[in-house]
Amino acid sequence: MTSQASLAGLRASREQRICACQGTPGTMLMKQGKQWKSICKGLILGTLLTSCMILLYSYVTPAVRLNMQEVPVPYSCAYRPARARSLPASSSSQGGACMPKVDVMFMKTHKTASSTILNILFRFGEKHRLKFAFPESRNDFFYPSLFQRTQVKDYRPGMCFNIICNHMRFNEPEIHKLLPSDTVYFSILRHPADLFESSFHYFGSVVPLTWKISAEDKITEFLRDPWHYYDPEGFNSFYLKNLLFFDFGYDNNLNPDDPRVEESIQAMEKRFPLIMLLEHIDESLILLKEALCWEMEDVLYFKLNARKDPVVSRLTPELRSQATDWNMIDWKLYRHFNATFWRKVEVYGRERMAWDVEELQRRNAEMAAVCIEGGQPVEAGRIQESAMQPWQPIGEKSILGYNLKKNIDKKHRKLCRKMLTPEIQYLTELGVNLWITKLWAHIRELLNW
């Protein structure tokens, strides 16, 4: 009996060990299920996207014509003389009149409130029936490739375009062959630490080098030792290092002390008479209004594509310093144009600037009271109209949008809708066939991304 009991005990013990061994892998697989699901989604998405885009690109990209005849672009592409606007006497002008500028090049940089500026340009161009140079089939000029004028929808040599403003990687020779000589160039910058944080969050899902960061706080882990993760040749790696410098068409992986960095900054200053600053958006828009001889109503705005507060990371002073050091070329760029910006403010007049900023903010607040339900942006799930849904980053809905008030008076109804319309929807209204962008959206929806 004792022997049989012992044998039974050994068998039971053996079965328990087998069950335990069999249970452990199952538990581990369950724990890793979400991770494998995410990886599989990425592989499927990458395969589909790469295959589709290569195929579609071959159809939508205009054939390169090596013998393309060069036809000079007219000095100005204004359709008709614009009404002169009287200028107030100030430290920068002694009165008189100026003609509103209609030939404009906005270099749209990433994560710098550039979608808000785009909305201003869309409204102005639509109001005055100006000719936009739009991309073909998508909302950017095949970024991150350098801009080519053949990427412009319906382009033919010698055509007149007034405004170009969609995302591109700047290529001055090609822009020069597209736009008239009287074109006003401007752009906008942001402190590189804040831009890096925003870009890391927004684009992290499409930068494979971030996928191997296992820490919960990925940005902190990345900044602890960036070169452990960063690969200059990695897919989409430019989003995570000196993104501003890259957007302007330069090599973002140069040594910050390379003479080409300073040469590039000087070249930018010659080409762009106005570089605005996100941190001083109101002062920037007043300077833009002055440079273009526009009216205050032309630069009214609502903040578009803002992130909801819980998602916005607050970099510690240490992380902020590390992010700035990592993006040292962008920091040099920002410091240079921060200095030129405040020199322009001095020329404009500090007192005059303060009065104009107050007026802009007052009129923006008036429009918000007229147009926006609740007076504030809301989370994506609370937006009532699909036409008001902003584009979201992969894997989440962190970008805020707006609800249009009901029963807006006839005087403001059209303007309110235009001011609140997100970029993708506004482009569609302006006649751009965004079928590649929309296909990408459908793929994301299919994969629940």
Side-chain angles (χ1 to χ4, degrees):
M1 290 290 293
T2 303
S3 177
Q4 290 178 348
S6 298
L7 182 60
L10 286 173
R11 287 176 178 172
S13 176
R14 181 172 177 270
E15 289 174 356
Q16 288 175 357
R17 286 198 301 272
I18 291 173
C19 290
C21 291
Q22 289 176 339
T24 301
T27 304
M28 291 175 65
L29 286 173
M30 289 177 64
K31 289 181 178 179
Q32 294 177 353
K34 290 185 178 179
Q35 182 179 355
W36 281 111
K37 183 179 179 181
S38 178
I39 292 173
C40 288
K41 279 185 177 181
L43 290 173
I44 295 170
L45 178 63
T47 303
L48 283 174
L49 184 61
T50 302
S51 302
C52 289
M53 289 306 173
I54 290 174
L55 178 62
L56 296 175
Y57 186 89
S58 66
Y59 281 105
V60 302
T61 304
V64 177
R65 290 171 284 180
L66 298 178
N67 59 344
M68 182 186 293
Q69 182 181 2
E70 294 293 345
V71 179
V73 179
Y75 174 79
S76 175
C77 286
Y79 289 127
R80 58 188 181 276
R83 181 172 58 86
R85 180 172 73 88
S86 297
L87 288 175
S90 70
S91 58
S92 62
S93 65
Q94 298 303 317
C98 65
M99 302 296 292
K101 307 292 194 303
V102 296
D103 297 331
V104 175
M105 191 280 159
F106 173 53
M107 175 55 213
K108 188 179 191 293
T109 48
H110 285 85
K111 313 313 297 173
T112 56
S114 57
S115 292
T116 299
I117 308 300
L118 213 64
N119 183 274
I120 290 173
L121 294 173
F122 285 169
R123 289 177 359 235
F124 184 86
E126 189 177 23
K127 176 182 176 181
H128 295 281
R129 300 181 181 180
L130 303 179
K131 177 71 172 176
F132 285 93
F134 282 133
E136 182 72 64
S137 307
R138 49 191 281 177
N139 64 314
D140 62 57
F141 289 103
F142 289 88
Y143 186 89
S145 63
L146 286 168
F147 173 80
Q148 301 292 325
R149 66 191 187 279
T150 54
Q151 297 165 349
V152 174
K153 182 178 181 292
D154 301 326
Y155 170 77
R156 294 189 307 276
M159 287 184 68
C160 252
F161 293 100
N162 299 109
I163 299 176
I164 188 168
C165 52
N166 290 81
H167 271 310
M168 68 167 67
R169 190 161 180 228
F170 190 67
N171 185 0
E172 183 173 356
E174 286 292 298
I175 291 289
H176 181 72
K177 294 174 182 176
L178 177 75
L179 300 178
S181 300
D182 71 342
T183 298
V184 178
Y185 290 67
F186 73 100
S187 188
I188 185 168
L189 304 182
R190 182 182 187 180
H191 191 290
D194 297 322
L195 185 142
F196 171 78
E197 185 280 325
S198 181
S199 181
F200 191 98
H201 171 82
Y202 192 92
F203 297 112
S205 297
V206 295
V207 184
L209 63 88
T210 67
W211 299 352
K212 60 184 178 182
I213 304 176
S214 58
E216 183 176 348
D217 188 349
K218 288 194 173 189
I219 193 169
T220 298
E221 173 61 21
F222 179 88
L223 288 173
R224 184 184 63 81
D225 185 9
W227 285 109
H228 178 72
Y229 299 102
Y230 182 75
D231 177 5
E233 302 300 323
F235 181 71
N236 282 345
S237 64
F238 53 85
Y239 283 124
L240 301 186
K241 186 172 179 62
N242 297 313
L243 178 55
L244 290 170
F245 202 64
F246 183 85
D247 279 351
F248 281 97
Y250 302 115
D251 182 357
N252 61 315
N253 291 303
L254 287 175
N255 186 305
D257 296 323
D258 191 307
R260 288 174 289 179
V261 172
E262 184 60 31
E263 291 170 4
S264 300
I265 293 174
Q266 294 300 325
M268 283 178 57
E269 184 173 358
K270 290 180 181 179
R271 172 44 64 197
F272 293 86
L274 175 62
I275 296 288
M276 307 189 300
L277 303 178
L278 169 61
E279 293 81 2
H280 302 281
I281 186 65
D282 290 335
E283 292 89 344
S284 294
L285 288 172
I286 297 301
L287 290 180
L288 179 66
K289 178 179 77 71
E290 174 84 350
L292 298 178
C293 190
W294 288 4
E295 302 283 355
M296 185 69 79
E297 67 183 40
D298 296 323
V299 295
L300 299 181
Y301 73 96
F302 297 136
K303 187 177 181 181
L304 302 179
N305 281 11
R307 281 192 291 165
K308 59 184 180 182
D309 285 340
V311 177
V312 178
S313 171
R314 305 300 181 192
L315 293 176
T316 65
E318 181 182 3
L319 287 175
R320 189 175 181 82
S321 177
Q322 291 172 345
T324 302
D325 290 343
W326 174 244
N327 295 276
M328 183 53 64
I329 296 179
D330 274 2
W331 174 234
K332 288 190 171 187
L333 187 71
Y334 183 84
R335 281 190 308 175
H336 179 92
F337 286 105
N338 181 67
T340 66
F341 178 87
W342 291 109
R343 286 199 293 269
K344 291 180 185 299
V345 171
E346 289 293 341
V347 172
Y348 188 85
R350 290 271 185 175
E351 185 176 348
R352 181 186 171 205
M353 175 61 76
W355 190 93
D356 284 347
V357 165
E358 183 179 350
E359 175 68 6
L360 175 61
Q361 292 174 346
R362 181 187 68 80
R363 295 187 62 174
N364 281 338
E366 286 180 352
M367 289 303 298
V370 170
C371 303
I372 301 173
E373 186 69 40
Q376 299 291 333
V378 296
E379 295 185 11
R382 295 173 56 197
I383 299 173
Q384 297 165 4
E385 285 188 61
S386 60
M388 294 293 163
Q389 282 282 358
W391 186 267
Q392 298 289 346
I394 288 179
E396 61 183 54
K397 291 189 175 181
S398 58
I399 303 300
L400 303 174
Y402 296 92
N403 285 317
L404 193 66
K405 269 191 174 181
K406 307 291 190 300
N407 303 318
I408 299 174
D409 63 273
K410 187 176 180 180
K411 176 183 176 182
H412 295 100
R413 191 177 304 152
K414 183 177 180 180
L415 178 58
C416 285
R417 180 166 288 278
K418 296 294 183 184
M419 290 181 70
L420 293 173
T421 300
E423 176 183 341
I424 301 299
Q425 291 89 323
Y426 210 143
L427 281 167
T428 301
E429 288 183 15
L430 292 173
V432 183
N433 182 1
L434 300 174
W435 65 281
I436 291 182
T437 301
K438 291 177 180 178
L439 176 61
W440 173 218
H442 289 317
I443 292 174
R444 287 177 53 178
E445 184 178 353
L446 180 65
L447 296 175
N448 197 27
W449 272 39

